[in-house]
Amino acid sequence: EAGVTQFPSHSVIEKGQTVTLRCDPISGHDNLYWYRRVMGKEIKFLLHFVKESKQDESGMPNNRFLAERTGGTYSTLKVQPAELEDSGVYFCASSQGGQGQETQYFGPGTRLLVL
Amino acid sequence: LAKTTQPISMDSYEGQEVNITCSHNNIATNDYITWYQQFPSQGPRFIIQGYKTKVTNEVASLFIPADRKSSTLSLPRVSLSDTAVYYCLVGVAYSSASKIIFGSGTRLSIRP
C-alpha cells in the first residue's frame, strides 16, 4: 500500500512569490491533515479535511494560506504571497475515518525556504 | 488536551534497552497515551498506543501505571536506526479523527 506522498520535497522561493504544496493521502482515507514545523519550533496543526470539507481550520496562520481538497482526494496548500516566516517543513497526514483507532499516517514533508 | 513532559534528549548504545518516561499529571479519564517516532527528514510515524497497564507490539512496549499520570516507552535492544525523536501525546483525539498536538519530543541518539 502506497503511503502519503507530498510534492515537492523541497522548494526555495523569494519573498512575495507563490508556492503550492501538494499532498496525496493514502487511497480511501477520508481524513487529511496539514501540519508544519517552522524553524526551531514544534510541529503545529494547520487544518483538517474530512473528504472535501474543512472540518477544522483553526491552525491556519492567516489568509495568505489557502487549502483545498477538491473531490476529496489530493489536497493543495497555497501560500500567497510567501513571507520569510513561512519557511519550515510542511507535513501532510491522512487517516481512514469512521470509528475506532485513528492512526494518522504522515508524509515525508515539503521543506519550504523563503528568501 | 493534557500537557506532557518528557526528556529533551537521551543517549544510549546499540543493544541496550531504552526507556523514555513521559509525565502527564492532568490526564483525563477518556485520554489515551500515544507515541510517535520521527526520523530525520521524515514525517512522524505512529509506534504504539495504550490506555492502561502494558501494551506491546513488534516495535516497542508501553508501560502505564495504575494512576496513569506517567507512561514509559520501552525500546528493546536498540540499534543505530532507532536514532530519532520520540513524541509522547495524550488525548482522546487518537481514538477519533482530530488534530495531533505535538510537544518538543525526546531526541534519542544511539551510539555504536
Side-chain angles (χ1 to χ4, degrees), chain A residues 64-76:
Chain A
R64 295 187 292 104
F65 289 75
L66 175 64
E68 294 181 326
R69 193 183 182 196
T70 305
T73 54
Y74 71 92
S75 174
T76 58

Side-chain angles (χ1 to χ4, degrees), chain A residues 9-106:
Chain A
S9 59
H10 296 80
S11 180
V12 181
I13 61 174
E14 292 185 343
K15 175 182 173 180
Q17 290 185 323
T18 298
V19 63
T20 300
L21 314 181
R22 173 171 170 144
C23 168
D24 285 80
I26 293 173
S27 178
H29 280 193
D30 288 341
N31 294 293
L32 187 149
Y33 307 80
W34 284 98
Y35 296 83
R36 75 171 181 176
R37 172 189 274 141
V38 295
M39 190 68 70
K41 300 288 183 62
E42 299 166 355
I43 300 172
K44 296 290 188 183
F45 166 82
L46 295 177
L47 88 159
H48 169 203
F49 283 100
V50 178
K51 297 183 180 179
E52 67 274 13
S53 300
K54 292 177 183 175
Q55 180 77 10
D56 180 356
E57 51 184 328
S58 61
M60 293 289 266
N62 52 60
N63 59 10
R64 295 187 292 104
F65 289 75
L66 175 64
E68 294 181 326
R69 193 183 182 196
T70 305
T73 54
Y74 71 92
S75 174
T76 58
L77 179 64
K78 179 189 290 187
V79 185
Q80 180 181 30
E83 298 290 343
L84 300 180
E85 64 265 25
D86 299 331
S87 296
V89 184
Y90 290 76
F91 294 104
C92 174
S94 72
S95 67
Q96 188 165 14
Q99 296 184 351
Q101 300 302 316
E102 282 289 336
T103 301
Q104 292 186 23
Y105 297 87
F106 282 76

Side-chain angles (χ1 to χ4, degrees), chain B residues 2 18-19 24 27 32 34-36 41 46 49-51 53 56 62 65 67 72-73 83 85 89-90 103 106 111-112:
Chain B
V18 172
N19 297 308
H24 27 80
I27 189 170
Y32 283 75
T34 308
W35 287 79
Y36 272 75
S41 301
F46 170 90
Q49 181 179 86
Y51 183 80
T53 63
T56 297
L62 179 59
D67 67 3
T72 299
L73 175 73
T83 294
V85 178
L89 311 166
V90 172
T106 296
R111 302 176 181 180

